[in-house]
Every structure is written in C-alpha cells, then in structure tokens.
C-alpha cells in the first residue's frame, strides 16, 4: 500500500504546486497511480511522467528497447532467484533462526549475507519492473546505482532506493519550514525529521525509527 500511496501522492502534490498539469483522462490517471509493475516494490514513479506516456497516440516499442527490456527481466530473475533466494535459504535464514549454533565469524557472515540478499532481492525486482514497463513502451526511473560502493551515508541514499530518496527530498524535506533561514539548525532538524519518517515508512516499529535517526 505504501508504494501505491507514495506514487498517487506525487500527482496530487505536483498538481497542487502547479509543477504538473492535471490530466483530463480518468483512465490514464488510474492506470498511472496503480501501474502494476511498480505496485509491489517500486520504483516510485511520478504520475506526471507516466500519464503523458500512457496518453501517447503512437505507442512504439523500438527493437533496442525490447532487447533491453528482456535483458533487464533476465538479470532481475537471476538476482532474485539465483542469488537472493539462494543466500536466504542456505545462509541467512539458518543463521538468523538459530544464531547460538554458529560461531561469531559465521554470524557476521550471515549479517553481510543478509545485506547482499536484501540488495539482490530488491534491485532484482526493480529490474523486472523496469523491464516489464519497457515492454509496454513505458520508461521508469532507475532505483539503484551500486549502493554498496557509496563513500558516505549521504552517498548511500543517493544510490539506494533512489526514487524513495527523491520522494522524501522533494515532497517532505522541501516542504518543511525554515529551509531559507540563516540558522543551520533548521537544515539539520529537517534532515533528521525526514530520515526518521523515512525509517518509519518501512514499518511501524521503534526499530525503524531508530534506523532512520541513525542514518
């Protein structure tokens, strides 16, 4: 429900701010806010960029786009089924279910394995979603850019779940008061609040609140 809500809100807020023109077609709007490849796990796509693609009078799939779409779907399936699911079944789940049965080194390996499982599962699904949309002639934004090669936490969030980071920046951070103030405290306060709410978005738990605050 969060991906549907975030995607639908992009249209509401963009039209309210007059950053985008409202569509006259109800069907195009409904198709954009509930676009099936992105409903489960993104990428969060601005409805204002999807609607014009859906309303095109001459839909056309270039051969290069068709080949890229199938390549992305294939890569996504490899990431999801051959890497993420394999790590989950053969390493991560076993260590996390019974950590007392393993040495500290094996538990640490399980923790890093979980980081890889999470990335390949999420980015694999994103590749499948982008490829599926491309087969329909629709272009979705990129969602990952080698996040574990990041040089800092800020750089990490420019590379990991990029569409969520951009959503939080454009629709939450820039909406908070005090950004034009000369007092830098507002900047840090608003940044902290944005990250805490971004953490809470992942689940209604203090663990996620703490995760957002730490980031």
């Amino acid at each position: 429900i969060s991906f549907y809500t975030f995607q639908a809100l992009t249209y509401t807020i963009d039209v309210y701010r007059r950053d985008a023109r409202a569509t006259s077609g109800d069907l195009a709007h409904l198709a954009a806010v509930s676009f099936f490849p992105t409903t489960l796990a993104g990428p969060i796509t601005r409805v204002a960029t999807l609607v014009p693609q859906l309303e095109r009078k001459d839909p056309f799939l270039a051969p290069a786009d068709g080949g890229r779409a199938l390549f992305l779907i294939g890569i996504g399936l490899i990431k999801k089924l051959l890497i993420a699911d394999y790590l989950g079944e053969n390493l991560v789940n076993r260590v996390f279910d019974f950590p007392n049965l393993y040495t500290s080194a094996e538990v640490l390996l399980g923790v890093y394995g979980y980081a890889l499982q999470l990335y390949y599962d999420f980015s694999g699904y994103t590749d499948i979603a982008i490829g599926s949309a491309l087969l329909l002639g629709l272009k979705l934004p990129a969602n990952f850019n080698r996040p574990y090669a990041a040089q800092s936490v800020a750089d990490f969030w420019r590379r990991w779940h990029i569409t969520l980071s951009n959503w939080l920046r454009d629709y939450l951070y820039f909406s908070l008061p005090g950004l034009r103030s000369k007092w830098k405290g507002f900047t840090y306060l608003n940044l902290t609040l944005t990250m805490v709410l971004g953490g809470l978005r992942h689940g209604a738990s203090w663990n996620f609140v703490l995760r957002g605050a730490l980031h």
Side-chain angles (χ1 to χ4, degrees):
I1 193 71
S2 68
F3 285 97
Y4 171 82
T5 303
F6 275 51
Q7 189 148 308
L9 278 172
T10 65
Y11 179 78
T12 306
I13 299 173
D14 282 347
V15 171
Y16 174 77
R17 291 176 172 174
R18 298 182 181 178
D19 290 335
R21 181 179 297 179
T23 177
S24 58
D26 293 337
L27 184 60
H29 172 261
L30 291 172
V33 299
S34 59
F35 190 49
F36 73 92
T38 66
T39 301
L40 183 60
I44 302 169
T45 308
R46 298 181 189 228
V47 173
T49 64
L50 271 180
V51 168
Q53 297 185 69
L54 290 166
E55 291 181 332
R56 280 185 308 185
K57 302 300 181 182
D58 54 342
F60 175 74
L61 178 64
D65 287 340
R68 175 171 172 75
L70 295 176
F71 175 78
L72 285 170
I73 292 172
I75 289 294
L77 289 171
I78 291 173
K79 287 180 178 179
K80 175 72 176 69
L81 301 177
L82 297 185
I83 301 178
D85 287 357
Y86 182 85
L87 283 172
E89 291 296 325
N90 295 281
L91 174 62
V92 177
N93 292 346
R94 296 182 183 184
V95 172
F96 276 54
D97 288 343
F98 304 101
N100 293 334
L101 298 179
Y102 299 91
T103 66
S104 57
E106 290 170 332
V107 171
L108 185 62
L109 186 63
V111 170
Y112 281 105
Y114 177 66
L116 292 174
Q117 179 196 1
L118 189 64
Y119 167 70
Y120 282 110
D121 185 273
F122 199 178
S123 69
Y125 178 85
T126 297
D127 288 342
I128 295 171
I130 294 174
S132 300
L134 196 55
L135 281 180
L136 300 174
L138 304 176
K139 295 184 178 181
L140 304 182
N143 214 24
F144 291 91
N145 180 23
R146 299 184 301 158
Y148 292 143
Q151 300 297 310
S152 66
V153 174
D155 189 32
F156 174 81
W157 282 106
R158 295 187 193 103
R159 297 165 174 264
W160 175 277
H161 205 346
I162 298 169
T163 56
L164 174 62
S165 297
N166 291 345
W167 196 100
L168 292 172
R169 179 196 64 199
D170 296 341
Y171 297 109
L172 178 57
Y173 179 74
F174 286 150
S175 298
L176 294 172
L179 289 181
R180 295 182 180 179
S181 172
K182 294 181 179 179
W183 187 53
K184 291 296 184 181
F186 276 115
T187 300
Y188 298 121
L189 179 63
N190 292 344
L191 181 59
T192 302
L193 181 60
T194 299
M195 293 306 298
V196 167
L197 292 175
L200 190 60
R201 173 255 173 205
H202 290 82
S205 160
W206 287 110
N207 291 338
F208 289 112
V209 172
L210 179 61
R211 173 183 181 269
L214 287 172
H215 277 262

